[in-house]
Amino acid sequence: MTDVDVLVIGAGHNGLVCATQLASAGRSVMVLEAGEQPGGMAVNREIAPGFQVPGCAQWLTQFSPQLIRELKLEQHGLELAATDLTSIGLSADGNTISLKQGEVSGEISDADRAAFAELYRLLSKVNRLLLRLSKRPPPYLVEGKLRDKLALADLGLRLRLMGSDDMSELLRQALNNVYDLLQERFESPLLKGMLSLEAVQGTHFGPRSPNTVFTLLQRKLQWAWGGEVSQVRGGMAGLGTALANAAQAAGVTLRYGAEVQSLIMPGDCVEGVQLADGTELRAGCVVSSVDPVTTFESLLGLAKVETDTARRVSQIRIKSGTAKLHLALSGLPNFTGLDASQLGQRLLIAPDPNYVERAFNPVKYGEYASLPTMDISIPSVNDPSLAPDGQHVLSAIVQHVSHSPAGGWSTQRERALSDWIDCLAQYAPDIREHIVAAEILTPADLEQQYRVQGGHWDHVEISLDQVLMMRPFPAAARYDASVPGLYLCGAGSHPGGNLSGLPGRNAADTILKMEKQS
Amino acid sequence: MNPHQDEPIYLPTAFHSRQQQHNLLHAWGGWNGYLKPEAYTDIELEYFAIRSTTAVFDLSPMNKYRVTGPDAEAFLNRVLTRDVAKIKNGRVGYCIWCDDAGQVMDDGTLFHLGDNDYRLCSYTRAYEWLYWSSLGFDVAIEDETGTVAALAVQGPTSCTVLTAMGVTGLESLKPFGILEVSFQGQTLTVSRTGFTGDLGYELWIDTSAGEALWDALFAAGEPYLIKAIGTEALEIARIEAGFLQAGVDFVPAETAVRRGCTRSPFELGLGWLVDFDKPRFNGRKALLAERDAGSRYRYVMLDVDGNKPAHHSFILQHGKVVGTVTSAAWCPTAKTNLAFAQLELPADASLTGLVAEIYYERELRWNKVLAPCVAIDRAPFDPPRRRQTPAPAL
């Protein structure tokens, strides 16, 4: 006897997208969420009475317009407070640079302007190809089934159709590091710093690390449709709420405060879950949007899988270097070189690529950067509802920060907060005067808060050895986890990360297709 | 000057000083990083010692892994295809293990030495695989290859010799049983196991007591014509007894370079070692699929006409190549020309009309024989004394 057809673990955006698609196809679906609200790592967090900051994710970047239409998210309450925001590179002397789609403004040479337009053109073109790959399960190489061969032939053909110059350039750069790519093309240290930040944010890489041209492409997937970052009205929670509404409208049952303790697997097949309160729920299959390491190690137990699966799970790279800084502000601070109207845009601290590389150095040795890169949002500018009248909140993504520094976070938390506010003060000298409340969320905090092993917002590092048919590991790349009755639909699956909703959607497609086959 | 010229490439085993005294041929080879005698005096005399008196073979180079801890049984049940719970304390089990694709990585023996205490003997180095397989289990794995010395004592008078050496209680030891006795202050483990298909035992002791054990054994065995044997004689005996040899009759999955060159348990005639009643073990999913879809290969034991061993022969059926021979020998005691072959035939295909295409050389002249073969179910050498308890003694 099963309670439902499908149990989905986690009401993050991927879990909800997957659940909605499955319910729309007629399955009875229940979503089990350990927390009290939907959204996963895209939620609001009240840091002082009336001050709402984004708990982790702060921008909507890659949620594809197509998925928003398919799930009718606007009907279900998704509203954007601002779209296509400009990324502004801050400078202590006020000489800022602004980027939006292919255009640069600010103090920049004509050569850099042209070089940026050209890079934007090339990356957008490659990203249209990546987007195509992202929208379906990755092709497998070894089995060599017809549909895999066709998918690979399609990829080869499209690469060739890029034209020989662009294809050669892509093949030359695809495995490169972003530092070398930027050195070849640009003069402006700030412009190179900003693009370095784009490439390494959310990763455990510095700009000189291999893979970072690829991560730059990944982070700018939205260029495939000419998009930039947007801000959700009501805070990031607005996305989760709209997705939860869509899920419920499709017939999904949502249970909050339902923490899954373990997967039930008496034989060779997952049959359901056991909740922390001891309740057992049975289902035809269980779909986990939880990160793969937690799914296999904590929920299933490595003893229940075959050796290669256990080995591969234990080798997934999940180290995060990302932290959050949250401030409640009594008023708008002054940023050198910016007027108040620009403070609702995306503000970046990454003055040059060496600065970004130096920010990466400490994390290699279990420390945090006292001069980190920052990706700053003051969401209350575009959406005053997030703070009391006339007051503001600031949220910054801080890179790079060790998950577990020597001596533990308890001894370093205050110092890190102070260092990072000092860093911010180099660009906004009066920031300290406005601070009403402040907090940092370290990778360890993010891990604990959002139940993601390692605290990585992509669950599994996005790098060439952990994408496509190798994400999260070979043999589990098509959402089917290598264990009967268990599927994966979270950011740890192809195409992974970045609030795209595509892992959830692809997983649902795959599950429905596999049901049809069996 | 080569700075390494005085360093040995192969390590000596605990019995090396004694083997040197017996090894008149100086026919040394390497086995798993250790020096091993291929033959001491004469291969045929050594072979007949196995079948007529008592033969002693140094199996110290065999990989030995001690597995202990509260999850030892559960861990071994992940690795091995058979149900480890059925190998009781004090017993030994023949076993195989597969990778996740259901391809045989190795065969070996599992000794259940005590509560949560096992020793796994393997042909391949298995530590890394065992280590990865231990993820999720509370076990400790120790490589005992260099610290435990082992001798196989095989043949019709082996029980008599060991009793004469002072091992008590041996007559009542059943096949695949384990006995622990004291030997000059050390624990000597005796198991009724072997690779010859005859009555025989294997002795396991700390390497420090190796030479003393050898001396005591040969002193006790002298009246019974005890003889040290090398790998060449053992090779004939194991084929005669129908035992597969990893690396010869199949490519251990982890060492295979080419896809499709490995074999599943079913393809080696070892399906009886796969227990699908166990809900989980490495390769289960793949093996279930193979059981339902059928195997690519089929293992057969062939009685080949004539006396020319069918080494590396093609096997033909109705003029078409259907397989190849992996091991072959003229078996002197069974008086059978035996070959193990891998056939690319479905399980239900007829095995009539098989022919071995044998090439052999006589004074630089190559000859070809097309020898008819008959598939046989059981090894031709299987004496009752192998299974009798009490074991026959003089």
Side-chain angles (χ1 to χ4, degrees), chain A residues 149-166:
Chain A
K149 286 180 182 159
L150 288 175
L152 290 168
D154 176 75
L155 175 63
L157 180 67
R158 275 164 208 281
L159 269 174
R160 193 64 197 85
L161 288 176
M162 290 178 78
S164 61
D165 288 352
D166 285 351

mmCIF file with all atom_site columns, all heavy atoms in Angstrom, chain A residues 149-166:
data_model
loop_
_atom_site.group_PDB
_atom_site.id
_atom_site.type_symbol
_atom_site.label_atom_id
_atom_site.label_alt_id
_atom_site.label_comp_id
_atom_site.label_asym_id
_atom_site.label_entity_id
_atom_site.label_seq_id
_atom_site.pdbx_PDB_ins_code
_atom_site.Cartn_x
_atom_site.Cartn_y
_atom_site.Cartn_z
_atom_site.occupancy
_atom_site.B_iso_or_equiv
_atom_site.pdbx_formal_charge
_atom_site.auth_seq_id
_atom_site.auth_comp_id
_atom_site.auth_asym_id
_atom_site.auth_atom_id
_atom_site.pdbx_PDB_model_num
ATOM 1   N N   . LYS A 1 149 ? 23.378 8.980  -29.313 1.00 0.00 ? 149 LYS A N   1
ATOM 2   C CA  . LYS A 1 149 ? 24.175 9.289  -30.501 1.00 0.00 ? 149 LYS A CA  1
ATOM 3   C C   . LYS A 1 149 ? 23.591 10.490 -31.230 1.00 0.00 ? 149 LYS A C   1
ATOM 4   O O   . LYS A 1 149 ? 24.317 11.359 -31.718 1.00 0.00 ? 149 LYS A O   1
ATOM 5   C CB  . LYS A 1 149 ? 24.228 8.064  -31.423 1.00 0.00 ? 149 LYS A CB  1
ATOM 6   C CG  . LYS A 1 149 ? 25.134 6.970  -30.876 1.00 0.00 ? 149 LYS A CG  1
ATOM 7   C CD  . LYS A 1 149 ? 25.173 5.771  -31.805 1.00 0.00 ? 149 LYS A CD  1
ATOM 8   C CE  . LYS A 1 149 ? 26.058 4.674  -31.211 1.00 0.00 ? 149 LYS A CE  1
ATOM 9   N NZ  . LYS A 1 149 ? 25.753 3.365  -31.789 1.00 0.00 ? 149 LYS A NZ  1
ATOM 10  N N   . LEU A 1 150 ? 22.252 10.521 -31.302 1.00 0.00 ? 150 LEU A N   1
ATOM 11  C CA  . LEU A 1 150 ? 21.607 11.645 -31.975 1.00 0.00 ? 150 LEU A CA  1
ATOM 12  C C   . LEU A 1 150 ? 21.883 12.945 -31.226 1.00 0.00 ? 150 LEU A C   1
ATOM 13  O O   . LEU A 1 150 ? 22.165 13.977 -31.838 1.00 0.00 ? 150 LEU A O   1
ATOM 14  C CB  . LEU A 1 150 ? 20.087 11.411 -32.063 1.00 0.00 ? 150 LEU A CB  1
ATOM 15  C CG  . LEU A 1 150 ? 19.658 10.336 -33.060 1.00 0.00 ? 150 LEU A CG  1
ATOM 16  C CD1 . LEU A 1 150 ? 18.153 10.103 -32.988 1.00 0.00 ? 150 LEU A CD1 1
ATOM 17  C CD2 . LEU A 1 150 ? 20.061 10.737 -34.480 1.00 0.00 ? 150 LEU A CD2 1
ATOM 18  N N   . ALA A 1 151 ? 21.812 12.882 -29.876 1.00 0.00 ? 151 ALA A N   1
ATOM 19  C CA  . ALA A 1 151 ? 22.055 14.091 -29.091 1.00 0.00 ? 151 ALA A CA  1
ATOM 20  C C   . ALA A 1 151 ? 23.483 14.581 -29.290 1.00 0.00 ? 151 ALA A C   1
ATOM 21  O O   . ALA A 1 151 ? 23.729 15.787 -29.406 1.00 0.00 ? 151 ALA A O   1
ATOM 22  C CB  . ALA A 1 151 ? 21.787 13.813 -27.611 1.00 0.00 ? 151 ALA A CB  1
ATOM 23  N N   . LEU A 1 152 ? 24.425 13.639 -29.333 1.00 0.00 ? 152 LEU A N   1
ATOM 24  C CA  . LEU A 1 152 ? 25.826 14.030 -29.526 1.00 0.00 ? 152 LEU A CA  1
ATOM 25  C C   . LEU A 1 152 ? 26.052 14.562 -30.941 1.00 0.00 ? 152 LEU A C   1
ATOM 26  O O   . LEU A 1 152 ? 26.778 15.541 -31.144 1.00 0.00 ? 152 LEU A O   1
ATOM 27  C CB  . LEU A 1 152 ? 26.749 12.837 -29.251 1.00 0.00 ? 152 LEU A CB  1
ATOM 28  C CG  . LEU A 1 152 ? 26.818 12.441 -27.772 1.00 0.00 ? 152 LEU A CG  1
ATOM 29  C CD1 . LEU A 1 152 ? 27.507 11.091 -27.611 1.00 0.00 ? 152 LEU A CD1 1
ATOM 30  C CD2 . LEU A 1 152 ? 27.543 13.496 -26.952 1.00 0.00 ? 152 LEU A CD2 1
ATOM 31  N N   . ALA A 1 153 ? 25.381 13.926 -31.914 1.00 0.00 ? 153 ALA A N   1
ATOM 32  C CA  . ALA A 1 153 ? 25.501 14.402 -33.291 1.00 0.00 ? 153 ALA A CA  1
ATOM 33  C C   . ALA A 1 153 ? 24.932 15.813 -33.403 1.00 0.00 ? 153 ALA A C   1
ATOM 34  O O   . ALA A 1 153 ? 25.500 16.688 -34.066 1.00 0.00 ? 153 ALA A O   1
ATOM 35  C CB  . ALA A 1 153 ? 24.772 13.444 -34.236 1.00 0.00 ? 153 ALA A CB  1
ATOM 36  N N   . ASP A 1 154 ? 23.823 16.037 -32.712 1.00 0.00 ? 154 ASP A N   1
ATOM 37  C CA  . ASP A 1 154 ? 23.192 17.354 -32.704 1.00 0.00 ? 154 ASP A CA  1
ATOM 38  C C   . ASP A 1 154 ? 24.149 18.388 -32.119 1.00 0.00 ? 154 ASP A C   1
ATOM 39  O O   . ASP A 1 154 ? 24.320 19.486 -32.665 1.00 0.00 ? 154 ASP A O   1
ATOM 40  C CB  . ASP A 1 154 ? 21.901 17.270 -31.869 1.00 0.00 ? 154 ASP A CB  1
ATOM 41  C CG  . ASP A 1 154 ? 21.226 18.616 -31.725 1.00 0.00 ? 154 ASP A CG  1
ATOM 42  O OD1 . ASP A 1 154 ? 20.610 19.049 -32.713 1.00 0.00 ? 154 ASP A OD1 1
ATOM 43  O OD2 . ASP A 1 154 ? 21.328 19.242 -30.658 1.00 0.00 ? 154 ASP A OD2 1
ATOM 44  N N   . LEU A 1 155 ? 24.802 18.000 -31.013 1.00 0.00 ? 155 LEU A N   1
ATOM 45  C CA  . LEU A 1 155 ? 25.756 18.903 -30.368 1.00 0.00 ? 155 LEU A CA  1
ATOM 46  C C   . LEU A 1 155 ? 26.909 19.218 -31.322 1.00 0.00 ? 155 LEU A C   1
ATOM 47  O O   . LEU A 1 155 ? 27.293 20.379 -31.505 1.00 0.00 ? 155 LEU A O   1
ATOM 48  C CB  . LEU A 1 155 ? 26.276 18.262 -29.083 1.00 0.00 ? 155 LEU A CB  1
ATOM 49  C CG  . LEU A 1 155 ? 27.369 19.025 -28.335 1.00 0.00 ? 155 LEU A CG  1
ATOM 50  C CD1 . LEU A 1 155 ? 26.844 20.379 -27.852 1.00 0.00 ? 155 LEU A CD1 1
ATOM 51  C CD2 . LEU A 1 155 ? 27.865 18.205 -27.135 1.00 0.00 ? 155 LEU A CD2 1
ATOM 52  N N   . GLY A 1 156 ? 27.426 18.161 -31.967 1.00 0.00 ? 156 GLY A N   1
ATOM 53  C CA  . GLY A 1 156 ? 28.540 18.342 -32.899 1.00 0.00 ? 156 GLY A CA  1
ATOM 54  C C   . GLY A 1 156 ? 28.157 19.243 -34.049 1.00 0.00 ? 156 GLY A C   1
ATOM 55  O O   . GLY A 1 156 ? 28.887 20.158 -34.435 1.00 0.00 ? 156 GLY A O   1
ATOM 56  N N   . LEU A 1 157 ? 26.961 18.999 -34.559 1.00 0.00 ? 157 LEU A N   1
ATOM 57  C CA  . LEU A 1 157 ? 26.479 19.791 -35.691 1.00 0.00 ? 157 LEU A CA  1
ATOM 58  C C   . LEU A 1 157 ? 26.354 21.267 -35.299 1.00 0.00 ? 157 LEU A C   1
ATOM 59  O O   . LEU A 1 157 ? 26.777 22.171 -36.016 1.00 0.00 ? 157 LEU A O   1
ATOM 60  C CB  . LEU A 1 157 ? 25.129 19.238 -36.150 1.00 0.00 ? 157 LEU A CB  1
ATOM 61  C CG  . LEU A 1 157 ? 24.496 19.958 -37.338 1.00 0.00 ? 157 LEU A CG  1
ATOM 62  C CD1 . LEU A 1 157 ? 25.346 19.712 -38.593 1.00 0.00 ? 157 LEU A CD1 1
ATOM 63  C CD2 . LEU A 1 157 ? 23.065 19.492 -37.570 1.00 0.00 ? 157 LEU A CD2 1
ATOM 64  N N   . ARG A 1 158 ? 25.774 21.497 -34.124 1.00 0.00 ? 158 ARG A N   1
ATOM 65  C CA  . ARG A 1 158 ? 25.566 22.883 -33.695 1.00 0.00 ? 158 ARG A CA  1
ATOM 66  C C   . ARG A 1 158 ? 26.884 23.593 -33.396 1.00 0.00 ? 158 ARG A C   1
ATOM 67  O O   . ARG A 1 158 ? 27.011 24.796 -33.620 1.00 0.00 ? 158 ARG A O   1
ATOM 68  C CB  . ARG A 1 158 ? 24.636 22.924 -32.482 1.00 0.00 ? 158 ARG A CB  1
ATOM 69  C CG  . ARG A 1 158 ? 23.211 22.921 -32.919 1.00 0.00 ? 158 ARG A CG  1
ATOM 70  C CD  . ARG A 1 158 ? 22.220 22.578 -31.864 1.00 0.00 ? 158 ARG A CD  1
ATOM 71  N NE  . ARG A 1 158 ? 21.069 21.988 -32.515 1.00 0.00 ? 158 ARG A NE  1
ATOM 72  C CZ  . ARG A 1 158 ? 20.129 22.695 -33.142 1.00 0.00 ? 158 ARG A CZ  1
ATOM 73  N NH1 . ARG A 1 158 ? 20.201 24.002 -33.188 1.00 0.00 ? 158 ARG A NH1 1
ATOM 74  N NH2 . ARG A 1 158 ? 19.119 22.094 -33.731 1.00 0.00 ? 158 ARG A NH2 1
ATOM 75  N N   . LEU A 1 159 ? 27.847 22.816 -32.881 1.00 0.00 ? 159 LEU A N   1
ATOM 76  C CA  . LEU A 1 159 ? 29.176 23.395 -32.685 1.00 0.00 ? 159 LEU A CA  1
ATOM 77  C C   . LEU A 1 159 ? 29.742 23.850 -34.026 1.00 0.00 ? 159 LEU A C   1
ATOM 78  O O   . LEU A 1 159 ? 30.276 24.945 -34.168 1.00 0.00 ? 159 LEU A O   1
ATOM 79  C CB  . LEU A 1 159 ? 30.123 22.336 -32.089 1.00 0.00 ? 159 LEU A CB  1
ATOM 80  C CG  . LEU A 1 159 ? 30.230 22.251 -30.576 1.00 0.00 ? 159 LEU A CG  1
ATOM 81  C CD1 . LEU A 1 159 ? 31.084 21.051 -30.192 1.00 0.00 ? 159 LEU A CD1 1
ATOM 82  C CD2 . LEU A 1 159 ? 30.843 23.528 -30.017 1.00 0.00 ? 159 LEU A CD2 1
ATOM 83  N N   . ARG A 1 160 ? 29.578 22.966 -35.014 1.00 0.00 ? 160 ARG A N   1
ATOM 84  C CA  . ARG A 1 160 ? 30.125 23.254 -36.338 1.00 0.00 ? 160 ARG A CA  1
ATOM 85  C C   . ARG A 1 160 ? 29.411 24.457 -36.957 1.00 0.00 ? 160 ARG A C   1
ATOM 86  O O   . ARG A 1 160 ? 30.031 25.296 -37.609 1.00 0.00 ? 160 ARG A O   1
ATOM 87  C CB  . ARG A 1 160 ? 29.968 22.009 -37.220 1.00 0.00 ? 160 ARG A CB  1
ATOM 88  C CG  . ARG A 1 160 ? 30.759 22.043 -38.496 1.00 0.00 ? 160 ARG A CG  1
ATOM 89  C CD  . ARG A 1 160 ? 32.252 22.061 -38.208 1.00 0.00 ? 160 ARG A CD  1
ATOM 90  N NE  . ARG A 1 160 ? 33.036 22.488 -39.377 1.00 0.00 ? 160 ARG A NE  1
ATOM 91  C CZ  . ARG A 1 160 ? 33.272 23.762 -39.690 1.00 0.00 ? 160 ARG A CZ  1
ATOM 92  N NH1 . ARG A 1 160 ? 32.767 24.745 -38.957 1.00 0.00 ? 160 ARG A NH1 1
ATOM 93  N NH2 . ARG A 1 160 ? 34.002 24.074 -40.753 1.00 0.00 ? 160 ARG A NH2 1
ATOM 94  N N   . LEU A 1 161 ? 28.105 24.538 -36.701 1.00 0.00 ? 161 LEU A N   1
ATOM 95  C CA  . LEU A 1 161 ? 27.324 25.621 -37.284 1.00 0.00 ? 161 LEU A CA  1
ATOM 96  C C   . LEU A 1 161 ? 27.629 26.983 -36.653 1.00 0.00 ? 161 LEU A C   1
ATOM 97  O O   . LEU A 1 161 ? 27.162 28.009 -37.121 1.00 0.00 ? 161 LEU A O   1
ATOM 98  C CB  . LEU A 1 161 ? 25.812 25.324 -37.164 1.00 0.00 ? 161 LEU A CB  1
ATOM 99  C CG  . LEU A 1 161 ? 25.306 24.212 -38.089 1.00 0.00 ? 161 LEU A CG  1
ATOM 100 C CD1 . LEU A 1 161 ? 23.840 23.931 -37.838 1.00 0.00 ? 161 LEU A CD1 1
ATOM 101 C CD2 . LEU A 1 161 ? 25.534 24.579 -39.565 1.00 0.00 ? 161 LEU A CD2 1
ATOM 102 N N   . MET A 1 162 ? 28.397 26.948 -35.537 1.00 0.00 ? 162 MET A N   1
ATOM 103 C CA  . MET A 1 162 ? 28.794 28.232 -34.949 1.00 0.00 ? 162 MET A CA  1
ATOM 104 C C   . MET A 1 162 ? 29.726 28.991 -35.882 1.00 0.00 ? 162 MET A C   1
ATOM 105 O O   . MET A 1 162 ? 29.986 30.184 -35.670 1.00 0.00 ? 162 MET A O   1
ATOM 106 C CB  . MET A 1 162 ? 29.550 27.998 -33.630 1.00 0.00 ? 162 MET A CB  1
ATOM 107 C CG  . MET A 1 162 ? 28.686 27.489 -32.496 1.00 0.00 ? 162 MET A CG  1
ATOM 108 S SD  . MET A 1 162 ? 29.704 27.210 -31.032 1.00 0.00 ? 162 MET A SD  1
ATOM 109 C CE  . MET A 1 162 ? 29.891 28.894 -30.476 1.00 0.00 ? 162 MET A CE  1
ATOM 110 N N   . GLY A 1 163 ? 30.248 28.312 -36.868 1.00 0.00 ? 163 GLY A N   1
ATOM 111 C CA  . GLY A 1 163 ? 31.244 28.932 -37.747 1.00 0.00 ? 163 GLY A CA  1
ATOM 112 C C   . GLY A 1 163 ? 32.630 28.560 -37.247 1.00 0.00 ? 163 GLY A C   1
ATOM 113 O O   . GLY A 1 163 ? 32.828 28.372 -36.045 1.00 0.00 ? 163 GLY A O   1
ATOM 114 N N   . SER A 1 164 ? 33.558 28.455 -38.158 1.00 0.00 ? 164 SER A N   1
ATOM 115 C CA  . SER A 1 164 ? 34.843 27.878 -37.747 1.00 0.00 ? 164 SER A CA  1
ATOM 116 C C   . SER A 1 164 ? 35.592 28.788 -36.774 1.00 0.00 ? 164 SER A C   1
ATOM 117 O O   . SER A 1 164 ? 36.255 28.319 -35.860 1.00 0.00 ? 164 SER A O   1
ATOM 118 C CB  . SER A 1 164 ? 35.700 27.534 -38.963 1.00 0.00 ? 164 SER A CB  1
ATOM 119 O OG  . SER A 1 164 ? 35.964 28.708 -39.680 1.00 0.00 ? 164 SER A OG  1
ATOM 120 N N   . ASP A 1 165 ? 35.476 30.114 -36.911 1.00 0.00 ? 165 ASP A N   1
ATOM 121 C CA  . ASP A 1 165 ? 36.195 31.006 -35.999 1.00 0.00 ? 165 ASP A CA  1
ATOM 122 C C   . ASP A 1 165 ? 35.680 30.866 -34.576 1.00 0.00 ? 165 ASP A C   1
ATOM 123 O O   . ASP A 1 165 ? 36.451 30.694 -33.628 1.00 0.00 ? 165 ASP A O   1
ATOM 124 C CB  . ASP A 1 165 ? 36.063 32.466 -36.453 1.00 0.00 ? 165 ASP A CB  1
ATOM 125 C CG  . ASP A 1 165 ? 36.877 32.724 -37.709 1.00 0.00 ? 165 ASP A CG  1
ATOM 126 O OD1 . ASP A 1 165 ? 37.642 31.811 -38.105 1.00 0.00 ? 165 ASP A OD1 1
ATOM 127 O OD2 . ASP A 1 165 ? 36.734 33.813 -38.300 1.00 0.00 ? 165 ASP A OD2 1
ATOM 128 N N   . ASP A 1 166 ? 34.361 30.926 -34.429 1.00 0.00 ? 166 ASP A N   1
ATOM 129 C CA  . ASP A 1 166 ? 33.786 30.838 -33.084 1.00 0.00 ? 166 ASP A CA  1
ATOM 130 C C   . ASP A 1 166 ? 34.003 29.460 -32.486 1.00 0.00 ? 166 ASP A C   1
ATOM 131 O O   . ASP A 1 166 ? 34.276 29.319 -31.295 1.00 0.00 ? 166 ASP A O   1
ATOM 132 C CB  . ASP A 1 166 ? 32.286 31.169 -33.118 1.00 0.00 ? 166 ASP A CB  1
ATOM 133 C CG  . ASP A 1 166 ? 32.059 32.671 -33.278 1.00 0.00 ? 166 ASP A CG  1
ATOM 134 O OD1 . ASP A 1 166 ? 33.053 33.422 -33.178 1.00 0.00 ? 166 ASP A OD1 1
ATOM 135 O OD2 . ASP A 1 166 ? 30.906 33.078 -33.496 1.00 0.00 ? 166 ASP A OD2 1
#
